[in-house]
């Protein structure tokens, strides 16, 4: 095993291991293993398993695990309606900076919105023909854009009436 010049110069001798006879024997130095004080390295003996034996062990392990579930209990994933969540965090504000909208979404449901970015928010609005606006050089989400997106979705999903901001009722649930 190659240890580097420092260990070899200090007396480690991995080159003295005999090929074929010392299978499973390693000369080790460095972090992660306790080496006696004053020693440049330590020789460690392990069990050598050749390719055929490794395949046999793996096959036995697969047979023992066959039919056994590795998850004891599946966690229920709640339905998330991104557009309704967006409507809720924009609320009655005429416009909200995109960074604030993202912060509100993460506060609302951190697990779902943790990795959302302005680009993801823009893509959500674009699905319904809308896009964020700009105010004083900052990207914003306009309440009217969210309202129109909800109305477009409601019209395309067969809801009986347009969805309004405030008390909203879902038409369809988006999974992304």
């Amino acid at each position: 095993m190659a240890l580097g010049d420092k260990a070899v110069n200090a007396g480690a001798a991995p080159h003295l291991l005999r090929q074929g006879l010392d299978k499973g024997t390693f000369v080790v130095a460095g972090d992660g293993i306790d080496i006696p004080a004053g020693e440049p390295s330590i020789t460690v003996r392990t069990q050598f398993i050749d390719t055929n034996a490794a395949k046999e062990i793996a096959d036995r392990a697969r047979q023992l695990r066959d039919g056994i579930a590795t998850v004891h209990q599946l966690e229920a994933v709640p339905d998330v309606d991104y557009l309704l969540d967006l409507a809720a965090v924009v609320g009655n504000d005429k416009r909200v900076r995109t960074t604030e909208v993202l912060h509100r979404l993460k506060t609302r449901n951190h697990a779902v919105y943790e990795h959302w970015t302005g680009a993801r928010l823009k893509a959500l609005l674009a699905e319904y023909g809308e896009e964020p606006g700009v105010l004083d050089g900052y990207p914003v989400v306009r309440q009217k854009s969210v309202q129109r997106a909800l109305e477009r979705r409601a019209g395309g999903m067969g809801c009986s009436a347009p969805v309004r901001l405030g008390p909203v009722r879902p038409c369809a649930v988006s999974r992304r």
Side-chain angles (χ1 to χ4, degrees):
M1 175 177 260
L3 300 174
D5 291 339
K6 184 177 177 183
V8 172
N9 290 342
H15 56 283
L16 297 179
L17 294 177
R18 299 159 298 176
Q19 187 171 355
L21 296 175
D22 292 325
K23 288 182 180 180
T25 303
F26 299 97
V27 177
V28 221
D31 296 338
I33 190 161
D34 293 330
I35 299 175
E39 296 292 324
S41 64
I42 188 168
T43 302
V44 178
R45 176 80 178 156
T46 64
Q47 180 61 45
F48 176 77
I49 301 173
D50 66 12
T51 303
N52 292 332
K55 286 179 183 177
E56 289 174 22
I57 292 169
D59 288 341
R60 283 198 315 257
R62 279 190 215 101
Q63 288 172 356
L64 290 171
R65 295 282 307 154
D66 190 32
I68 297 175
T70 56
V71 176
H72 297 288
Q73 182 178 353
L74 294 176
E75 184 179 320
V77 177
D79 290 337
V80 177
D81 188 324
Y82 303 125
L83 200 51
L84 286 179
D85 282 353
L86 179 59
V89 300
V90 169
N92 293 323
D93 295 335
K94 195 172 182 180
R95 68 185 71 80
V96 181
R97 281 189 181 179
T98 299
T99 54
E100 178 61 22
V101 169
L102 291 169
H103 174 72
R104 291 177 185 181
L105 286 169
K106 289 173 187 174
T107 300
R108 182 177 180 89
N109 190 340
H110 187 76
V112 171
Y113 298 108
E114 177 182 10
H115 299 292
W116 272 49
T117 62
R120 178 63 186 99
L121 189 58
K122 184 177 180 177
L124 172 64
L125 288 170
E127 288 179 38
Y128 302 99
E130 296 296 325
E131 60 183 43
V134 177
L135 180 67
D136 297 330
Y138 294 100
V140 295
V141 175
R142 296 180 302 251
Q143 182 191 39
K144 287 183 179 182
S145 294
V146 176
Q147 177 66 41
R148 285 191 300 260
L150 284 166
E151 289 172 355
R152 283 189 185 113
R153 182 177 74 178
M157 295 296 186
C159 290
S160 57
V163 177
R164 299 282 175 212
L165 290 177
V168 291
R169 74 182 168 80
C171 297
V173 176
S174 174
R175 293 183 187 263
R176 285 195 195 194

